[in-house]
Amino acid sequence: ASGMAAGDRVGMLGVNSDRWLECLMGVWWAGGVLNPVNTRWSVPEMVYSLDDSDTGILVVDDHFLSRVEGIRATAKRVPVFIYAGEGETPAGMRSFEALIEAARPVEDAGRAGGDLACILYTGGTTGFPKGVMLSHWTLWSIGIQRLAQTPMPAPSAMMSGRIFSLD
């Protein structure tokens, strides 16, 4: 409903929340590429990453509403702003909740493997940050590697609606 097509970049500027997870999964389901905007950056740094990655949609929560006007005023490509907060949707933004309520189910775009999943920006210690392009395969591989390095808790079993340790 916001004009996103397969491969389009969608930014998320917000704190960890259920909406962040919905955005992440929704973007991937629809075939988009996520650009998680660093919440510690200044507006010029945010705009740099949005322009560099050609982000066309930016989801913003209540914590970062104050950054919207600066982004709108300086971005080369002004993104469609989607408000994922708790209050009234600000002027010039679309409502995350209203978009979900009005949405019809869509088929999974089926992007996987070597398809681009997200663009993460480096710290820029030698100049401007660089966009690191990560595929779905790379994210899966990182997850598997992390599991291999993490000690597993003691086995447990679900019995009568309660969890009991087997050791």
Side-chain angles (χ1 to χ4, degrees):
S2 294
M4 190 195 90
D8 284 354
R9 278 57 164 163
V10 177
M12 177 66 185
L13 179 55
V15 297
N16 290 338
S17 68
D18 55 338
R19 288 184 177 114
W20 213 109
L21 186 59
E22 289 171 343
C23 179
L24 168 75
M25 295 300 175
V27 166
W28 287 344
W29 186 269
V33 176
L34 191 70
N35 173 18
V37 179
N38 189 324
T39 58
R40 293 188 173 116
W41 280 348
S42 66
V43 169
E45 291 168 318
M46 291 176 182
V47 168
Y48 173 80
S49 77
L50 297 171
D51 286 344
D52 184 62
S53 64
D54 196 27
T55 296
I57 298 171
L58 182 60
V59 180
V60 182
D61 73 9
D62 288 319
H63 296 90
F64 300 97
L65 274 179
S66 64
R67 306 293 199 329
V68 169
E69 287 312 311
I71 293 168
R72 190 183 317 260
T74 57
K76 290 178 187 170
R77 176 183 182 190
V78 178
V80 172
F81 290 98
I82 298 177
Y83 173 66
E86 299 296 329
E88 283 290 316
T89 303
M93 297 181 79
R94 301 188 71 183
S95 166
F96 188 87
E97 293 300 322
L99 288 168
I100 290 174
E101 287 176 24
R104 293 175 303 169
V106 296
E107 291 293 319
D108 180 357
R111 293 174 60 91
D115 294 328
L116 185 59
C118 64
I119 303 173
L120 303 178
Y121 279 81
T122 65
T125 55
T126 59
F128 285 106
K130 311 295 186 286
V132 178
M133 302 171 79
L134 300 176
S135 68
H136 288 274
W137 178 257
T138 300
L139 295 179
W140 177 85
S141 176
I142 291 167
I144 293 299
Q145 291 172 34
R146 183 69 181 129
L147 283 173
Q149 297 171 348
T150 305
M152 297 303 289
S156 61
M158 179 68 89
M159 301 174 70
S160 304
R162 298 178 64 181
I163 296 176
F164 295 90
S165 175
L166 295 178
D167 50 328

